[in-house]
């Protein structure tokens, strides 16, 4: 499938289809994945580390259910 001109669209459509299943269960993670994910990168922010960790955990669970792995998380928090 990679190398085909529509590959980014197909990946995005697949992810959107999958995350819609979890919009009520994990609303913040769903919004982050739906709004800030492009191909294989996402850039987002929140006000505190506890909120970031919750979104990270929930987004990881949502994507794991689709047999996809999220990685390379970064933060500017000192801790």
């Amino acid at each position: 499938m990679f190398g085909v001109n529509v590959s980014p669209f197909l990946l995005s459509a697949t992810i959107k289809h999958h995350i819609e299943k979890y919009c009520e269960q994990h609303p913040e993670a769903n919004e982050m994945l739906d709004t800030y994910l492009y191909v294989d990168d996402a850039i987002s922010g929140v006000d505190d580390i506890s909120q970031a960790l919750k979104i990270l955990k929930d987004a990881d669970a949502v994507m794991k259910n689709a047999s996809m792995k999220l990685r390379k998380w970064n933060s500017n928090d000192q801790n």
Side-chain angles (χ1 to χ4, degrees):
M1 203 45 106
F2 287 96
V4 177
N5 288 340
V6 296
S7 291
F9 168 78
L10 292 174
L11 176 61
S12 178
T14 301
I15 290 172
K16 283 183 182 283
H17 174 76
H18 179 73
I19 65 174
E20 284 176 359
K21 300 175 194 176
Y22 300 95
C23 64
E24 290 183 24
Q25 188 177 1
H26 303 295
E28 292 175 329
N30 183 58
E31 181 182 356
M32 189 274 294
L33 291 169
D34 190 35
T35 306
Y36 300 107
L37 188 67
Y38 178 73
V39 184
D40 63 352
D41 289 316
I43 298 175
S44 182
V46 293
D47 293 329
D48 62 73
I49 192 70
S50 62
Q51 187 180 10
L53 291 172
K54 181 180 180 340
I55 291 172
L56 181 148
K57 180 182 152 217
D58 292 348
D60 191 44
V62 168
M63 296 304 284
K64 188 177 277 186
N65 286 331
S67 298
M68 296 181 190
K69 182 177 181 180
L70 295 177
R71 56 193 182 100
K72 297 191 295 184
W73 293 94
N74 289 308
S75 173
N76 63 352
D77 186 78
Q78 296 291 336
N79 298 318

